[in-house]
Amino acid sequence: MTEPIATRLIVILLLALLGWTEVTIARMRQLWAAVMLTGIFSFLGAGWMLILDAPDVAFTEAAVGAGIATFLMLATLGLTTREAKSPTAFKPLPLVVVIATGIVLVYGTLDMPHYGDRQAHIHTYPEPSYITKSNAEIQLPNIVTAILASYRGYDTLGETTVILTAGVGVILLLRNERRKPRDGVDPTAESTT
Amino acid sequence: MNHYSILRIAAKLLIPYILLYGLYVQFHGDFGPGGGFQAGVIFASGIILYGLVFGPEAARRVAPAGIVDRLIAVGVLVYAGTGVAGMLKGGQFLDYNVLAHDSTHGQHLGILLVELGVGITVSAVMVTIFFAFAARERTE
């Protein structure tokens, strides 16, 4: 890798801040501050993805992770308490599970190609044609959009349907507007009879 | 939050730019980073910010449930409809080449339409999730 030393320093700084934010969130009992820190975590992650030349992913992370997710967690906090319960006693089993999962994940990364490797699987399969062909076939400057919306249009249609399903699920499970008593009859009383 | 005048004025100043930026990301996604998903989220966050500062009832007047619920389905219909339009024009499902007089223009038109569908569904779902949370009563 022939990155400028400044880029490396920024990456190290970002990753260190990411790790520090994670640990702080895990140790924190004040849920308000924890929610704000998750937003900061997403912004740091977005900055790091920008350095990895993935502006579309960084954009999504910033909009969804730092934007909507923070909003939704704040809205949830409005419904519950602002303080987490302090742990009653030290439990060894969760620690073992977390460490084991971490070891498995790190072991999984050993098989991954190095960053910027031209021979990596994603650059050779199906063939390096998306980059060369989309220039002639679709002529869009943003190849990510060309791939997502055109070459993989079926995938994106499926993803949009997943979001539709999520919306329908939220409406069915969480919306309580219809549970208001109609004509003076309590619907919960109906269901029990 | 009626008495937080700084918050209210800052939100009122920001919301038009958030919505405008959402539209920019939506329709400029072919040329720069972004696309329907990000645009939908940004557009929805403008409405959600309005709901947080001015209350869910005020935001419900801007985005009534009857319209937002239908928009969730409309987005997917726009997406799938673009695919069906390709079939009607003699191509295959989601084949944009046949949508316009030449294949490149067809691709541009198709991508614009499906991204619009994604944007509509995503922003409607995000707004719906926010209202579903905001409308619930506090439970101890």
Side-chain angles (χ1 to χ4, degrees):
Chain A
M1 284 307 305
T2 53
E3 284 175 63
I5 194 89
T7 315
R8 288 192 168 200
L9 279 177
I10 293 172
V11 168
I12 290 169
L13 186 70
L14 274 176
L15 290 179
L17 280 172
L18 272 172
W20 177 74
T21 319
E22 265 174 54
V23 174
T24 314
I25 293 172
R27 294 177 63 87
M28 194 163 262
R29 297 281 145 230
Q30 303 285 326
L31 292 178
W32 262 99
V35 167
M36 288 303 155
L37 278 175
T38 56
I40 291 172
F41 181 84
S42 291
F43 266 126
L44 290 169
W48 180 46
M49 288 164 191
L50 207 56
I51 292 176
L52 294 179
D53 286 336
D56 283 86
V57 187
F59 207 158
T60 316
E61 180 64 39
V64 178
I68 288 286
T70 313
F71 273 143
L72 289 180
M73 282 199 273
L74 284 179
T76 315
L77 273 192
L79 301 173
T80 58
T81 55
R82 293 185 182 184
E83 288 241 359
K85 287 177 190 139
S86 37
T88 46
F90 175 74
K91 294 191 184 97
L93 185 64
L95 186 69
V96 173
V97 170
V98 165
I99 289 175
T101 315
I103 289 172
V104 169
L105 287 175
V106 170
Y107 177 72
T109 62
L110 296 181
D111 258 357
M112 282 175 70
H114 289 287
Y115 171 59
D117 182 6
R118 277 165 189 276
Q119 299 306 312
H121 216 54
I122 49 163
H123 298 308
T124 54
Y125 180 83
E127 37 178 330
S129 57
Y130 283 146
I131 293 166
T132 48
K133 271 161 77 181
S134 90
N135 214 0
E137 287 177 351
I138 300 184
Q139 291 177 10
L140 279 185
N142 187 354
I143 299 176
V144 175
T145 301
I147 291 175
L148 287 182
S150 186
Y151 291 117
R152 299 197 179 159
Y154 277 73
D155 282 16
T156 311
L157 177 61
E159 284 161 15
T160 314
T161 317
V162 167
I163 295 169
L164 166 92
T165 318
V168 171
V170 164
I171 290 175
L172 289 177
L173 289 174
L174 290 182
R175 186 174 285 175
N176 50 9
E177 287 163 17
R178 303 255 161 78
R179 281 193 216 140
K180 281 173 193 159
R182 262 179 293 170
D183 308 326
V185 181
D186 188 1
T188 51
E190 281 176 358
S191 61
T192 50
T193 51
Chain B
M1 284 200 191
N2 275 337
H3 42 284
Y4 293 111
S5 44
I6 293 177
L7 251 183
R8 290 165 65 91
I9 291 169
K12 275 196 172 172
L13 275 175
L14 278 175
I15 286 167
Y17 293 104
I18 295 175
L19 297 182
L20 192 65
Y21 187 61
L23 291 176
Y24 166 77
V25 172
Q26 172 78 55
F27 294 109
H28 203 258
D30 313 358
F31 301 95
F37 189 78
Q38 293 92 330
V41 171
I42 292 170
F43 200 84
S45 67
I47 297 172
I48 292 174
L49 177 64
Y50 186 75
L52 281 179
V53 176
F54 295 92
E57 293 82 18
R60 257 300 177 219
R61 282 198 292 279
V62 180
I67 294 177
V68 176
D69 286 0
R70 281 174 179 79
L71 283 179
I72 296 177
V74 164
V76 178
L77 280 177
V78 167
Y79 199 130
T82 310
V84 175
M87 290 169 80
L88 292 178
K89 285 210 153 195
Q92 290 176 324
F93 186 62
L94 287 176
D95 178 6
Y96 312 140
N97 284 341
V98 294
L99 287 178
H101 53 89
D102 72 66
S103 65
T104 322
H105 277 100
Q107 287 286 343
H108 289 187
L109 184 64
I111 289 172
L112 190 79
L113 286 173
V114 300
E115 291 279 1
L116 184 65
V118 174
I120 292 172
T121 291
V122 168
S123 78
V125 167
M126 295 300 165
V127 169
T128 303
I129 293 175
F130 168 71
F131 281 126
F133 273 86
R136 283 184 81 80
E137 269 152 39
R138 192 186 161 89
T139 47
E140 291 295 334

